Amino acid sequence: MILGVTGGIASGKSSVVAVFAELGARVVSADQLAREVVAPGSAVLQQLTARFGTEILFDDGHLDRKRLGDLVFADAAARQDLNGIMHPAIATLSRQRLREAVASGAPLVVYEAPLLYEVGAEDRVDAVLVVTIDEGQQLQRLIKRDGLTLEQARTRVAAQMPQSEKTARADYLLDNSGPWEETRLQAAALFKRLASDSH
């Protein structure tokens, strides 16, 4: 079984996915694939510099993700251009990696994808888990994690599909607003259920 895991920014998706990995799931991360497709010299990186300029690169030729993020977060058209370049490349690579993960015989394959619904990637998975979080906590975590102002954090949250829309489309929900130990236990219980279902 392939479980898609998504949720809003700073909701704790990666922490939940780490629990699944500890328990034996094979994880394919869209963020990791996004880093791979923009490796120096790649066709995707060339397209990005053609669109956004060479100032999005570090001196060593690697992509400056923060610089690119700052450029696109406040500009919907630029974000659309970025997605148009990135998502087809990530889609191709994710399908290949998910096939390999399924073939490995793991009890559960997890596709961690922050923009699962936004890019229409739910057709790559059998079910979707949305990790939810209280909005106030989400903003606090984001400010602390990324060193943002409250205004910047709000802009980033507002740029995403609303949490309510994601939860309405989910097969499973996991609320990460409480103590981490509670979330961990919920994640472990869900893993056990899904791993036994797929055998």
Side-chain angles (χ1 to χ4, degrees):
M1 177 190 191
I2 303 176
L3 178 70
V5 178
T6 193
I9 190 167
S11 59
K13 297 178 294 296
S14 299
S15 302
V16 168
V17 168
V19 174
F20 292 149
E22 276 168 35
L23 295 171
R26 273 288 291 270
V27 176
V28 176
S29 158
D31 281 349
Q32 185 53 47
L33 300 179
R35 287 187 177 86
E36 285 182 45
V37 299
V38 296
S42 66
V44 173
L45 190 59
Q46 287 166 3
Q47 288 175 279
L48 290 176
T49 50
R51 166 61 180 86
F52 297 103
T54 51
E55 68 268 19
I56 62 166
L57 298 178
F58 287 116
D59 293 340
D60 66 1
H62 283 82
L63 178 65
D64 182 342
R65 290 165 66 95
K66 187 180 184 316
R67 182 75 196 262
L68 181 59
D70 291 343
L71 282 177
V72 302
F73 261 111
D75 181 342
R79 203 161 56 241
Q80 206 170 355
D81 289 347
L82 172 66
N83 291 342
I85 294 167
M86 294 289 291
H87 293 310
I90 295 169
T92 302
L93 191 54
S94 72
R95 286 193 178 94
Q96 179 197 326
R97 292 288 161 78
L98 288 169
R99 276 195 304 273
E100 291 164 3
V102 168
S104 77
L108 181 67
V109 173
V110 172
Y111 183 46
E112 182 185 358
L115 301 177
L116 186 85
Y117 290 124
E118 290 89 332
V119 302
E122 62 266 43
D123 66 337
R124 291 175 224 163
V125 301
D126 301 311
V128 177
L129 165 66
V130 172
V131 179
T132 62
I133 186 167
D134 166 77
E135 198 182 327
Q137 278 187 294
Q138 182 184 28
L139 290 170
Q140 283 174 350
R141 283 185 192 179
L142 192 50
I143 288 164
K144 192 174 167 188
R145 188 189 79 184
D146 295 355
L148 304 175
T149 65
L150 179 60
E151 201 43 56
Q152 287 172 320
R154 283 202 173 116
T155 302
R156 298 211 170 184
V157 170
Q160 296 197 320
M161 180 186 285
Q163 182 169 264
S164 57
E165 195 176 326
K166 289 185 179 186
T167 59
R169 295 167 69 175
D171 299 292
Y172 303 99
L173 295 174
L174 205 159
D175 182 9
N176 188 28
S177 304
W180 168 244
E181 193 50 36
E182 254 171 52
T183 303
R184 205 178 67 74
L185 289 170
Q186 286 182 68
L190 182 60
F191 173 85
K192 204 170 165 183
R193 190 171 136 202
L194 296 177
S196 65
D197 283 356
S198 43
H199 284 298

